[in-house]
Amino acid sequence: MRSTRVLIGLSAVVALFAAGCGTTEPAGGAERRAGGGEPVTVVDARGQEIRLDGPAKRVAATEWNGIENLVSLGVMPVGASDVEGYGQWVSAAPLDGSTTDIGTRGEPSLDTLGSLDLDLVVVTDSLSEGALAQVESIAPVLVIDGGGGDDAIGAMFRNVDVIAKATGTEDRAAELRSEFDAKIAEGRAAVERAGAAGEQVAFSDAYVASGTVSIRPFARGSLVSDVFERIGLSNPWPMAGDPEYGLAQADVEGLTQLPNVRFWYSANDSGGDAYAEELADNAIWTNLPFVRDGKVRRLPDAMWMFGGPRSMAQYVDAAVAALRT
């Protein structure tokens, strides 16, 4: 059998990720092996039906949340974007070494995708329309949410569920939800035992551009913040985040708006630690009350802030550990 391909008429522009609707019809290109089994129809984040002749087995993904969800569901991707970067930032669902690198997250290699005999490609809604149209000329494409909008945890599980339906792994998706709920309950109990229920935690990451430290607060509505709130912590960031990811922008002066909170952040040895390095001798930073009081914690590396249930379970464990120190 052959998987039904999806074609949408879109402009051919490829853009790099920063961080439509229609009916399906056969598309041209080389024939591929289908996954086998009963036909499957799923509705993706565009509201578009994707029809497959059977559950997809040979699947590629262009974003790390899609890759993590596939691995978590027991489907090792045949192709994935930026395999090296994924290994540095996503430890919750590691690749097994068999996955082919298909290029950058915003601009996958069409030649590589075309060589993989794919049943399905999973992308996010951040992929440019031109790139999406080009990928759809090779294989059926399932678009998932990149961010969560007003319901980050709900969007995370919508992504899991639609990928599970497309790959025939619905039972495993149900297990992931049960495991996540159990981890949240475990985390909430640990927060209560620590006497930390309601404590304010400001979570962020930071990067250096042209010698200037830019800080990215994870405001209310971001996925990590929603997870922390589920276990009983509160978000003190005074600024609003963007509508898709709940991310805000600040500089070191902006941190003076925070009260004496617990200040947790994400960094990675591959990209440096702006707080510990560039701000180490900054007078504004060193005189912040939470810095003076030793309330700053770098959470463990390689926990993807925009990932799936397994990454968010890591954040629960990291929060409980940080409360003990």
Side-chain angles (χ1 to χ4, degrees), residues 32 38 59 71 84 102 125 131 149 160 194 214 226 231 236 239 249 251-252 260 268 274 279 298:
R32 306 177 309 281
E38 294 297 318
V59 187
V71 176
E84 180 180 1
I102 61 172
D125 52 14
V160 170
S214 294
D226 283 2
I231 63 173
M239 64 282 287
Q249 290 292 328
D251 54 20
V252 66
N260 193 5
N268 195 293
L279 294 182
R298 171 176 168 173

Side-chain angles (χ1 to χ4, degrees), residues 215 217 237-239 249-258 284 288:
I215 294 166
W237 287 112
M239 64 282 287
Q249 290 292 328
D251 54 20
V252 66
E253 288 85 359
L255 298 182
T256 61
Q257 300 179 56
L258 289 171
I284 297 175
L288 291 168

Side-chain angles (χ1 to χ4, degrees), residues 51-207:
R51 294 192 289 269
L52 305 171
D53 285 351
K57 303 301 181 186
R58 295 184 61 81
V59 187
T62 63
E63 252 300 344
W64 292 346
N65 64 337
I67 298 168
E68 177 186 333
N69 287 335
L70 284 166
V71 176
S72 300
L73 289 166
V75 181
M76 189 58 57
V78 175
S81 294
D82 189 5
V83 168
E84 180 180 1
Y86 180 87
Q88 292 170 338
W89 285 94
V90 191
S91 60
L95 298 171
D96 67 3
S98 66
T99 303
T100 297
D101 194 307
I102 61 172
T104 65
R105 290 184 280 160
E107 191 172 353
S109 166
L110 300 177
D111 288 341
T112 304
L113 285 171
S115 72
L116 295 177
D117 190 25
L118 295 168
D119 299 326
L120 184 69
V121 181
V122 178
V123 307
T124 69
D125 52 14
S126 63
L127 193 68
S128 73
E129 292 183 347
L132 177 61
Q134 291 175 1
V135 175
E136 284 181 318
S137 72
I138 296 169
V141 173
L142 177 70
V143 178
I144 62 173
D145 291 318
D150 295 332
D151 182 12
I153 293 174
M156 176 181 74
F157 277 111
R158 285 195 298 274
N159 289 343
V160 170
D161 289 343
V162 73
I163 294 172
K165 185 173 182 181
T167 58
T169 54
E170 293 97 329
D171 288 348
R172 177 57 188 144
E175 291 175 355
L176 286 173
R177 189 180 291 269
S178 294
E179 291 167 4
F180 177 79
D181 290 344
K183 178 60 68 175
I184 290 294
E186 174 188 316
R188 187 184 304 112
V191 168
E192 291 173 355
R193 285 196 301 272
E199 284 203 20
Q200 295 181 315
V201 173
F203 178 72
S204 69
D205 61 8
Y207 57 93

Side-chain angles (χ1 to χ4, degrees), residues 3-7 24-32 136-140:
S3 299
T4 303
R5 297 177 179 176
V6 183
L7 181 62
T24 58
E25 58 184 69
E31 296 190 357
R32 306 177 309 281
E136 284 181 318
S137 72
I138 296 169

